[in-house]
Amino acid sequence: MNLRRDVFQAIADPTRRAILLLVATQTMTAGAIAANFDTARPTVSKHLSILTECELLEQHQHGREVYYQINAKKMKEVADFIEPFRNMWDDRFNKLEAIMKNYKPEK
């Protein structure tokens, strides 16, 4: 049985989230990405494979170099899923703030 990783499994790892932040603003090679981490390059390559498999990263080859860039459409799917939860927590914090403004500690 071949189970495919999903996007949320991919972003659960802090190293993969850091990789996504790195390539969010610029296209980078695996070597350039790996240079930002205190780990072996094969480890970073595994993270890149998982992110590519989940379609969070796209890879393009230019000569011998492979460049990675973020897949904005896939990231939007993640953001769209999270948005209702963000709204719920904003509402809860706003209610808590309103309660706390009216709170007067007993002396």
Side-chain angles (χ1 to χ4, degrees):
M1 181 181 347
N2 186 9
L3 296 176
R4 183 181 163 101
R5 291 179 182 89
D6 77 0
V7 171
F8 295 99
Q9 287 174 320
I11 63 174
D13 185 275
T15 302
R16 290 193 285 268
R17 290 193 305 268
I19 290 170
L20 290 171
L21 288 172
L22 279 173
V23 298
T25 58
Q26 62 183 336
T27 301
M28 298 176 77
T29 63
I33 294 168
N36 289 278
F37 297 96
D38 221 6
T39 185
R41 185 168 172 169
T43 304
V44 173
S45 292
K46 180 66 176 169
H47 287 302
L48 291 171
S49 295
I50 292 168
L51 291 168
T52 303
E53 177 186 333
C54 294
E55 299 175 354
L56 289 169
L57 288 183
E58 297 172 340
Q59 58 183 11
H60 304 283
Q61 187 151 358
H62 296 284
R64 294 185 331 169
E65 296 285 346
V66 176
Y67 289 86
Y68 293 89
Q69 67 184 35
I70 202 156
N71 179 353
K73 287 182 183 178
K74 199 65 164 182
M75 291 302 293
K76 181 161 177 7
E77 288 179 28
V78 174
D80 289 347
F81 176 81
I82 292 171
E83 189 61 30
F85 298 102
R86 183 177 314 168
N87 292 337
M88 175 190 70
W89 282 106
D90 281 345
D91 289 344
R92 288 183 180 189
F93 283 123
N94 288 338
K95 288 176 184 175
L96 178 61
E97 183 179 24
I99 290 169
M100 294 307 292
K101 282 182 180 177
N102 294 325
Y103 176 74
K104 294 187 176 32
E106 293 181 20
K107 293 183 181 182

